[in-house]
Amino acid sequence: MEKRVSKRIPANAVLSFPCCQSFRYGTATNISEKGIMIQTEPCFPMSSRLNVFISSGKEILKVPVRIARIVKKGNHYKGIAVEVVGLPKKYQE
């Protein structure tokens, strides 16, 4: 029995997000209808809300997210898992 509502799709997409009056970059390693796993060093506390910018090739998608989990392996941060919140319908395709 699968516990996930949405299937994860492997990805390798560069994205950006605002942090400390500049932009940080990361790589989306998988994407689902409900969230994105981003390989990056976190700079926000849990439950923070922010916008992630992803290029679709035709336009820049502005995706509102909430940090759901910070991934750490040993003493090193590996990434953040974000939950998509309030995604506009035109992006859901």
Side-chain angles (χ1 to χ4, degrees):
M1 186 165 93
E2 189 172 320
K3 66 178 183 174
R4 299 201 173 274
V5 175
S6 302
K7 184 177 179 179
R8 291 184 191 181
I9 300 169
N12 189 21
V14 175
L15 47 78
S16 63
F17 51 93
C19 179
C20 306
Q21 299 180 0
S22 66
F23 275 86
R24 290 243 177 149
Y25 296 88
T27 303
T29 57
N30 67 61
I31 299 173
S32 75
E33 185 179 317
K34 303 286 184 183
I36 306 168
M37 182 65 205
I38 304 170
Q39 184 178 351
T40 188
E41 284 194 27
C43 63
F44 296 99
M46 287 289 295
S47 298
S48 295
R49 290 179 179 254
L50 60 139
N51 291 310
V52 172
F53 298 91
I54 305 170
S55 175
S56 72
K58 296 179 182 179
E59 64 180 316
I60 303 293
L61 306 177
K62 179 180 175 183
V63 182
V65 300
R66 179 186 68 82
I67 296 180
R69 184 168 52 101
I70 297 174
V71 180
K72 190 175 179 182
K73 187 173 184 179
N75 291 330
H76 301 283
Y77 289 101
K78 293 294 194 180
I80 55 176
V82 297
E83 173 189 3
V84 176
V85 292
L87 185 63
K89 284 189 180 190
K90 75 176 196 171
Y91 295 155
Q92 293 177 7
E93 298 170 3

